[in-house]
Amino acid sequence: MTTESPQGYLESKVFPTLVTGLEELLRWSQQTPEADRPLEWLAQYLKRNNPNPQQNDVHPRDFKPTPVRRKFRKNQHNGNKPLRLIFVGPPACGKGTQSEYIKREYGTYQLSTGDLLRAAVSSGSPVGEQAKAVMEAGGLVSDELILSLIEEAISKPECSNGYLLDGFPRTVVQAEGLDRLLEGAGQHVDRVFQFRIDDDLLVRRVSGRRVHPASGRSYHVEFKPPKVPDVDDETGEPLVQRSDDNEDALRKRLAAFHEYTEPVIQHYKSQGVLVELDASLEPAQVWSQIRQVLVDDM
């Protein structure tokens, strides 16, 4: 019987399988927003499959997700150039989910006009005081005020890695104002992602939503049903449908979106920065579309 050297054994028995596994892990990590979790899952796997549980001192909490992969990609993006993105899409199209993926992957800061207004009012800044006076009088905050808030926000340290505008601009006038603002700051929009999805599917998504008020847990009668209809899985308490999660309200919001936002889409299409997404797909598949565009832009 021949005795195989340690190196020979590893090269013939272990390394091929290891290399195949690493290649598969790399392929998988390029298509998912959960690429920080393999070490945690490996710990769980070892714990389940250890033949000597008494000697098992591996715990998932010992494996902390690290941003190494994201830092590498972010530093590779156009010579460490920050990403400046815009999401355009109707209510319930999935912009919020994809915003989280973008933030985790590239470190960009999400800018929502609603959050900016609330923060400005709370801070008591001059712009916040102006916005507060308008809102208390029942008026609509002007485009100029909103743009002032955005101008202030993009100069802050949290936007140094780039930012994502979600829900703004909503009109061509706002888009043109944003263009002028960014030009004055020596910046420009890198990509505008349009979330394309059929209105009828959105109605199905929204009208079927149910929530547990106390915890915020959400369900869907068709896509994510509770174990017992209209009952929270954990507490057994009743689920409710939010007042604005109905077809009539959504149809009105969709009509307004199409009327005012379609020209915005054409505005950015003419600039060559618009990317159309199929937002009817699963979130991971939508993210794969977005990520591929950003990787190709590197």
Side-chain angles (χ1 to χ4, degrees), residues 43-56:
Q44 294 172 354
Y45 173 82
L46 292 174
K47 192 175 183 69
R48 288 195 307 269
N49 292 276
N50 192 335
N52 299 305
Q54 302 90 335
Q55 301 176 10
N56 193 341

Side-chain angles (χ1 to χ4, degrees), residues 207-269:
S207 61
R209 288 195 299 209
R210 300 292 185 272
V211 296
H212 178 240
S215 68
R217 280 186 292 276
S218 62
Y219 302 86
H220 194 282
V221 296
E222 180 179 355
F223 305 122
K224 187 186 173 185
K227 296 174 182 177
V228 177
D230 294 322
V231 174
D232 179 51
D233 287 349
E234 296 190 20
T235 65
E237 295 172 348
L239 302 176
V240 301
Q241 182 181 28
R242 286 194 286 247
S243 59
D244 57 346
D245 281 355
N246 64 80
E247 181 170 351
D248 289 342
L250 179 60
R251 295 279 185 192
K252 291 178 182 177
R253 293 168 67 193
L254 289 173
F257 169 81
H258 293 310
E259 178 181 357
Y260 291 106
T261 310
E262 285 298 330
V264 174
I265 292 168
Q266 295 305 314
H267 175 82
Y268 287 115
K269 189 173 184 177

Side-chain angles (χ1 to χ4, degrees), residues 63-112:
F63 293 83
K64 303 299 183 184
T66 60
V68 172
R69 186 179 66 89
R70 292 204 308 277
K71 283 183 179 177
F72 174 79
R73 286 201 182 121
K74 185 169 62 181
N75 292 339
Q76 293 298 314
H77 179 79
N78 292 338
N80 205 26
K81 173 179 170 293
L83 279 172
R84 302 179 184 107
L85 309 172
I86 295 175
F87 278 179
V88 178
C93 69
K95 298 192 302 296
T97 299
Q98 300 306 320
S99 296
E100 288 299 314
Y101 291 167
I102 288 281
K103 183 168 65 175
R104 288 182 56 186
E105 182 80 8
Y106 293 101
T108 56
Y109 192 78
Q110 183 178 358
L111 296 176
S112 122

Side-chain angles (χ1 to χ4, degrees), residues 7 10 13 32 34 43 85 88 104 118 122 132 135 153 160 182 184-185 188 218 232 249 272 280 292:
Q7 180 179 351
L10 291 174
K13 305 293 186 184
T32 178
E34 295 188 285
L85 309 172
V88 178
R104 288 182 56 186
R118 285 187 287 271
S122 298
K132 181 179 179 181
M135 290 187 291
S160 60
L182 295 180
H188 66 272
S218 62
D232 179 51
S280 67
Q292 188 59 58

Side-chain angles (χ1 to χ4, degrees), residues 93-94 195-197 201 205 277-282 286 289:
C93 69
F195 288 66
R196 294 181 63 90
I197 184 169
L201 177 55
R205 284 184 178 181
L277 303 172
D278 183 355
S280 67
L281 301 175
E282 291 296 315
V286 177
Q289 297 175 71

